[in-house]
Amino acid sequence: MAPTSSSKKPEQTVPRRRQRKDVDEGGSLRQPQRKRSKLSQAAQQVEVSPVDGESKQMNGSASHAGLDDASSTLALDIPLRARTSTGHDRRNTKSRGKAVLTENPNYRIEQLPGFPDELKSTGADYRSVTATWTTQSLAITRERAYIWDSSAFRKFDLSHSSRIDEGIPFGSLVDGGSSETGLVVIAPSSGKVVFWENVEYADALKLFEKRRNGTEGSLKGMSYNERVADLQDAGQAGFVITMNSGRIAQLLLRDAQGRPSVQVKFLDPGLNSGGGLLSGFRNVFSTGSHLKDVTAVHTQSIQANSKVHLIVANGQAHFHLWHLDWAGQATFNSHISTHDQITESLRRECGSNEVDHQHTFKLLDFAILNTPEHKRHVASQVGGETLNLLSLVLVLGPDTAKYALVELYLHQANASIGRVIPIASYEVSLDARAKPDARVYLSHTQQTAFMVCRDALTTVSIAHPTAVPTNKDKKTLKKGNPYMDTIYLREKNDLGIVGAGSEMTMHNGPQSTLRIYIRHFGLLKAIVNEPEDPQHAVERSPPNARNKVEQAVFNGTSNDNPLDLTRGSKATFALDEVEDAALTISQDIISSRSHFIQTSLPMEQHLEQRAKALNDLALHLQHNYGSLSKSAKWQLLWMAEKVAAGRKVWSLYEARAGTDARDPRLLPELVEYLHNDYKTPADAQTDAGDQLRQWFLRDVGRLELIVPWAYQGVKELAKLDDYADQRRLIPLVSDANDIVIGALETAWAFRTENAWLYNLQVASGGLLPIMEYEGLPEFWTFTDSIPSFTKSLVINGGSIVTALSDGDTETDEPPEHNPLVLKIAEENPKLITLCCKSYEERTRWYASDGSKKRQELAIVSKQELDTERVDMLTKLPALGMAEQGMALAEDYSDMRSLVDIFRDETAFWSKALQEEKHKIQSLEKLEADKRDLEEVEAAKQNVETANQHIQQLDDRLKGYFEKFDYAWADALYSTHASRNMYVQILDASAYPWQAKQVSKYLKATQRRRRLGWINDALANRDFSSACTSLTDIATEEPSLWSKTLELSLAKLALSAATENEEASEGIQDANKMQSDAQVLMKVQHRIADHISPSIYNALDENSELTLLMQDFGRHKTDGRPNLQQLLERGLDSVRAATVMGPEQLIDVLTLMDHHPCDMSSRDVSGLEFFLALQVLKHSGFAPASHRYQTLLKIIWRRCFVEDQWDDINKTSHKSDDAVARTLETTKLFQTIYQGNKASLFEGSNAISILTSEDVRGAGHSGDDYKDRFPTEDLRIPIAQDTAREDEALEVLVEKYRLDHWIALTKGQAAKRLEEEAEEKVKSEETVRMAANRQRAKEKNRSQGDD
């Protein structure tokens, strides 16, 4: 096709050109000399050294078609540097810097300045162009062209260059020489071509404003519906135009003499001008015509012969190869199909049948590999002159879609496949499957490929590693896969990549750049870091978890960042790696070691910046890694708490910075006091100039050290002479309060409000349920003596205020006029709250651990909390904070503190009331002219105020009974009792709302029941309850005399209850208990009376016991020390009138020696065993119980062995009456006789008379005494001594016929009782008859008188 004609510029606009040689020595035309623009020279000229006769490739050097022409608006701009340039509609771009959007060891993405605001704000569709020979960028809309770089910006009107119905024109920058940049624009539908040789010159002459085009031309021969689809810079061969029909055209912008001229020639494989006639026939029959469905067109310069490789590919992986030159000569070389080879290689790589028939993949783009490293690799694989291409294909499976890079070797008419690299890091969207838009670009060194999609940028390592990776690199690389990483755009505001292109390289280092145009945002630059020596390349490691999280936190959280730095990274890293990364990043933030944290800001802004970074980190982890361990989440939260607390402490410090400079400040002193081990050494280059700011800059993570030292610092400074006057301590105490309150209050509030960010559950107030603390490290809010030192600060700070208020310190002004004094007093309740919370948190943490040691520590901590809380709360009234103290006590349900404060407040107002009344009385006694009426009126007002407070306290008292019920009553009445104010407790029953609580309180313990029965009898008239209480009291009463009195009173109460018909089953039980107890006490009294003569002349208690043992403990227990000890203890209890139990009474009665009393009325000699049986019957033991039966057998056995049976058994020369009279002198006879007389052996609870056989073995086992003695070492010796009684029993049975005498004694006792009964009957009859005779005599006498 003949070149199209071009219109010439007007003569006055044509610049003078120097004469140049267009013909070389051989007569052939030479390529015109090319010039670099001033802009590119000003930046830095970078040329690639020719290798094997070729210059650097032109792959993707001028990309035009937008990836997506959809439009919307995004008002997003980052201020960048710009300068004012002259000319039409130029924009100020001075001082507009680059903003880093993300960065890792492999690449960095920046936002470039200068992007047209109107494109960003209006959302207009445009085509973008990037040329490798200049730093300038080009954007073309339907009406305008924008050209800019970092220092200049130009806008040109193109509305006159194409029809209104045309689409967005295609265009490109044209290298016009060292100082010239040209512009070519092609209308897509009409094919009109306009070329401006020098846009600066055209702009200066206002050609665009005058709607005057440069050199014009057009595409002749366009068919119906044929449109321009792409425009590519072909370097020396001009430009290559791709039509939507698949046809290719070459565009030349200069004629043979180098003058501006528009020439367009369509290329036809069937009309090959460079191969002769036969060659033309061969091409026609082998390829037919141009390719259909062209997807990629790229060129590569060939330095040796001033030609350019043109490579055209379609979606089915068919390639056309051409040679172009600068003069318009085009040679078709070959048609190569790689479809089958790619299909087979994809099938092997995918390992399935995803690629098993035609059109299951589509070739989207390719790039030309031509570095020396690639050439050597190709030569070793294929050999000969070969084109090495890196193609991008979309693989479509039944339900899947993915991209892959396929390395192709094109050699003459043949093709072979190299590597296949699946793009695993990118997720193909549904839109991409229907309308694939991905393109591939290469880095400057061609070690990295860029896959650009509408929504993401993927970097892939395509180097051939020759070095062995390190162990660290091996861990981060998946086996067999090269490094790759994908960065997505955010899914908002219709962001999308509309174009990209390799940028002019500004240096010779191992970096390559790619420009990326984003709709509704602007222009980005991706800078790739690559190995400096490609021959010794090591496969790059992907970004680690720390880098990914760090970038997402510091760069990805900005609303101005179009990149989604969170997508695709969650499944990449192990959970422990993410945890380590998060903790490291957090630690770097709180220590200001992260390079993202600016340390030169004012401290308040600096702390705010760190707080925001930690918040962003928490949000990122929550949204992407919610399953972190509980321990890690708590550590992250604690670090954020400390920064928040540090901000508050600093703000409080700064708030008082403008006050009196003479006041001492505590915070700087505390930092100075800290040991150097707890302070980071300052860096003179970067750190703050003073210790305080240095500490907040680097060590705010050690805030738990400063908080307890707040009190300790005041304490240490108070020792100095400068602070001898307590007024000097007031500012320090105030600062200490600020530190503790600011840190702890802020920490718990932050914890409560932000725990959800860390997927943690925290109750209101910042505390956790006990079991939630299990397995967690120690919380910083209760470490390092924070609870105890906070308590000390409360007490000592309050003491200073109290001392000043009481006048203990000489002052120039009343303390109430000092705002810091009032501040300290008002802050004390808040400090108490924080102190208690710290104690409570520590207690719960201890209690969550099941170990014995931690459980004991939890108990100790709880006890400390209860004690310290009372100590702190009860001191609040002295500071004028009684109301706050009662409120806190109510919150904690601390009834003890509440009672104390309430009583103090009541006493204060009662005293004030009396004082004011007395003052009024004194004033009223004065004469009228001497009376100060205002003072009287003030006193009356004070009386009214005091009455109001007293009434409020009365109302509060009643409310406490309703709110806290018995807990309040117990604390109040216990306080009365501790002060011996028992009358107030009993008087409280007069109030209906207290009567129930008084009764409950007085019945709660045995000690209180000593008053409770009085309340029952007098206040409640409940004699039944009084009887029960007295009986219960007597049951545990240790004093014999007191028990006697209590039982007597209980008997009276029982009588009263019976009269009032209050008797119940419980009363009947009480009545029986009284009866049994009275029997036991009566026996004890009789024993006491019996032994009293023996101790009459004793000097002291010790001598009394000695005398008693001499008289009553020498014979029976001789040789049995354990039983002797039991007897001694029993006699001592009798002597001391201590209430004795049934068993102890039985021990004394059965073990004491027979020693008649001088006073017959007190003598119990001979009755001991009868009394022992009587005690057993009224002991309350169940007759069938082992305890009862053992005691019964022991009593009878000791009774059996008591008498001298050997003498009794001597019956020779004795009558039966004499033998009977002898039996009646035995203790066995007295026991049975008295028992019969007292009916012990009759009735429901009758005592059994046992035989010698029945009593054997009783008390021989230690188990027989387990109810009395807790340990075996006490029981066994007693059992052994008791067992010796059976030995004596056996002798009596075998030698002296004991069983015979037992039977006779039993009969004789019964006979004697019968005889006494008969004598009694006879006596009664004699008395009756005598009485009858007396009455008869009196009757006769009275009749005789008549």
Side-chain angles (χ1 to χ4, degrees), residues 2-9 17 20 174 183-184 193-197 214-218 237-239 250-265 326-327:
T4 59
S5 62
S6 62
S7 60
K8 296 182 179 180
K9 298 180 182 179
R17 307 180 68 86
R20 63 188 178 93
V174 181
L183 173 65
V184 61
V193 181
V194 182
F195 169 53
W196 291 271
E197 184 182 15
T215 304
E216 297 185 1
S218 64
F239 292 86
Q250 181 181 10
L251 168 64
L252 298 175
L253 299 178
R254 295 188 184 277
D255 59 15
Q257 288 73 37
R259 294 172 297 188
S261 172
V262 176
Q263 304 176 57
V264 179
K265 181 178 69 174
W326 65 274

Side-chain angles (χ1 to χ4, degrees), residues 1085-1099 1103-1104 1107-1108 1110-1112 1134-1135 1152 1155-1165:
H1085 279 300
R1086 293 190 65 179
I1087 298 173
D1089 291 340
H1090 177 74
I1091 68 174
S1092 61
S1094 298
I1095 59 175
Y1096 182 76
N1097 296 320
L1099 298 177
S1103 60
E1104 287 179 352
L1107 292 173
L1108 288 176
Q1110 288 177 357
D1111 290 345
F1112 300 98
V1134 174
R1135 178 200 59 79
M1152 64 187 295
H1155 185 79
C1157 181
D1158 296 338
M1159 302 175 64
S1160 60
S1161 61
R1162 299 181 177 182
D1163 192 14
V1164 295
S1165 297

Side-chain angles (χ1 to χ4, degrees), residues 587-594 597 599 606 610 697-698:
Q587 186 62 48
D588 286 347
I589 293 173
I590 66 171
S591 61
S592 301
R593 295 302 181 190
S594 173
I597 300 298
T599 59
H606 171 73
R610 288 153 73 183
L697 186 70
R698 301 296 184 191

Side-chain angles (χ1 to χ4, degrees), residues 652-673:
L652 292 173
Y653 172 79
E654 286 282 278
R656 207 165 68 82
T659 59
D660 192 348
R662 296 174 298 176
D663 285 347
R665 301 307 304 274
L666 180 63
L667 196 53
E669 299 288 347
L670 294 183
V671 173
E672 185 175 353
Y673 277 155

Side-chain angles (χ1 to χ4, degrees), residues 715-986:
K715 180 180 178 181
E716 294 298 324
L717 291 172
K719 299 176 182 178
L720 303 178
D721 294 339
D722 292 344
Y723 298 96
D725 185 353
Q726 287 192 331
R727 289 176 298 172
R728 293 277 293 164
L729 292 176
I730 289 297
L732 298 179
V733 174
S734 176
D735 280 355
N737 287 0
D738 288 344
I739 293 170
V740 175
I741 295 174
L744 296 182
E745 188 175 57
T746 303
W748 276 307
F750 184 91
R751 187 180 301 170
T752 303
E753 296 168 3
N754 296 276
W756 65 273
L757 279 174
Y758 301 85
N759 293 324
L760 295 170
Q761 299 295 326
V762 175
S764 177
L767 300 182
L768 284 68
I770 290 178
M771 296 316 299
E772 290 297 319
Y773 289 95
E774 185 177 5
L776 292 178
E778 191 175 31
F779 280 46
W780 75 272
T781 41
F782 66 78
T783 57
D784 293 318
S785 304
I786 285 179
S788 59
F789 278 11
T790 303
K791 182 257 181 180
S792 299
L793 179 61
V794 171
I795 299 299
N796 289 275
S799 298
I800 294 175
V801 172
T802 304
L804 292 174
S805 301
D806 293 342
D808 293 345
T809 302
E810 295 182 2
T811 58
D812 297 330
E813 61 178 354
E816 58 268 18
H817 294 170
N818 187 336
L820 290 183
V821 173
L822 297 178
K823 172 179 175 291
I824 293 171
E826 292 172 354
E827 288 174 342
N828 248 31
K830 190 176 295 185
L831 280 172
I832 293 172
T833 300
L834 298 175
C835 179
C836 293
K837 185 178 289 187
S838 187
Y839 269 116
E840 178 64 25
E841 188 174 55
R842 184 177 69 179
T843 302
R844 295 187 183 189
W845 185 74
Y846 282 143
S848 68
D849 193 320
S851 66
K852 181 180 179 180
K853 181 179 179 181
R854 286 291 175 83
Q855 291 297 317
E856 292 174 351
L857 289 173
I859 295 172
V860 172
S861 182
K862 180 63 168 65
Q863 292 172 347
E864 288 180 4
L865 168 60
D866 294 340
T867 302
E868 304 294 6
R869 184 178 60 234
V870 173
D871 193 20
M872 291 185 291
L873 289 177
T874 52
K875 288 180 171 55
L876 286 177
L879 301 177
M881 298 288 120
E883 191 71 26
Q884 292 84 344
M886 286 189 285
L888 285 177
E890 291 178 29
D891 292 340
Y892 292 119
S893 296
D894 186 349
M895 298 298 102
R896 178 181 170 187
S897 298
L898 186 58
V899 168
D900 287 346
I901 299 174
F902 179 84
R903 283 175 53 82
D904 287 345
E905 192 72 353
T906 302
F908 173 81
W909 287 111
S910 297
K911 181 179 178 182
L913 177 62
Q914 296 303 320
E915 289 177 350
E916 293 301 321
K917 286 183 177 181
H918 179 71
K919 185 177 182 179
I920 293 173
Q921 293 174 359
S922 300
L923 291 173
E924 290 179 345
K925 291 179 181 179
L926 297 175
E927 297 178 4
D929 57 343
K930 297 181 180 180
R931 190 181 306 162
D932 190 337
L933 297 179
E934 293 182 0
E935 190 174 358
V936 173
E937 188 61 31
K940 291 181 178 180
Q941 184 64 36
N942 291 338
V943 168
E944 183 178 353
T945 301
N947 281 324
Q948 290 177 353
H949 278 89
I950 291 173
Q951 182 59 47
Q952 291 174 0
L953 290 170
D954 289 341
D955 295 339
R956 187 188 288 267
L957 176 64
K958 185 176 180 179
Y960 286 157
F961 277 100
E962 296 175 354
K963 180 177 181 180
F964 298 110
D965 198 44
Y966 179 69
W968 164 255
D970 181 71
L972 178 64
Y973 300 147
S974 295
T975 302
H976 291 334
S978 66
R979 291 172 170 81
N980 295 323
M981 300 169 63
Y982 300 109
V983 175
Q984 287 190 333
I985 300 176
L986 296 175

Side-chain angles (χ1 to χ4, degrees), residues 1141-1192:
E1143 290 162 317
Q1144 195 174 22
L1145 283 172
I1146 291 172
D1147 285 339
V1148 172
L1149 290 168
T1150 58
L1151 293 176
M1152 64 187 295
D1153 292 339
H1154 180 73
H1155 185 79
C1157 181
D1158 296 338
M1159 302 175 64
S1160 60
S1161 61
R1162 299 181 177 182
D1163 192 14
V1164 295
S1165 297
L1167 301 178
E1168 296 95 332
F1169 296 99
F1170 161 70
L1171 294 176
L1173 291 173
Q1174 197 174 39
V1175 168
L1176 180 61
K1177 184 172 184 179
H1178 294 278
S1179 64
F1181 302 149
S1185 66
H1186 178 74
R1187 191 176 188 182
Y1188 181 95
Q1189 291 297 323
T1190 299
L1191 289 173
L1192 178 63

Side-chain angles (χ1 to χ4, degrees), residues 253-309:
L253 299 178
R254 295 188 184 277
D255 59 15
Q257 288 73 37
R259 294 172 297 188
S261 172
V262 176
Q263 304 176 57
V264 179
K265 181 178 69 174
F266 282 97
L267 307 183
D268 190 342
L271 300 174
N272 191 342
S273 60
L277 180 62
L278 293 178
S279 176
F281 271 118
R282 182 172 62 252
N283 288 329
V284 168
F285 285 105
S286 62
T287 63
S289 61
H290 57 267
L291 295 174
K292 304 296 183 182
D293 186 27
V294 173
T295 56
V297 176
H298 293 294
T299 62
Q300 179 187 19
S301 295
I302 306 175
Q303 186 80 11
N305 52 15
S306 299
K307 292 186 178 181
V308 173
H309 277 305

Side-chain angles (χ1 to χ4, degrees), residues 23-50:
V23 182
D24 60 12
E25 294 179 357
S28 61
L29 288 174
R30 294 188 308 178
Q31 181 183 359
Q33 293 182 353
R34 309 297 293 270
K35 299 179 181 180
R36 290 287 182 189
S37 69
K38 291 181 179 179
L39 290 174
S40 61
Q41 287 178 341
Q44 181 179 1
Q45 296 187 34
V46 179
E47 294 288 345
V48 179
S49 301

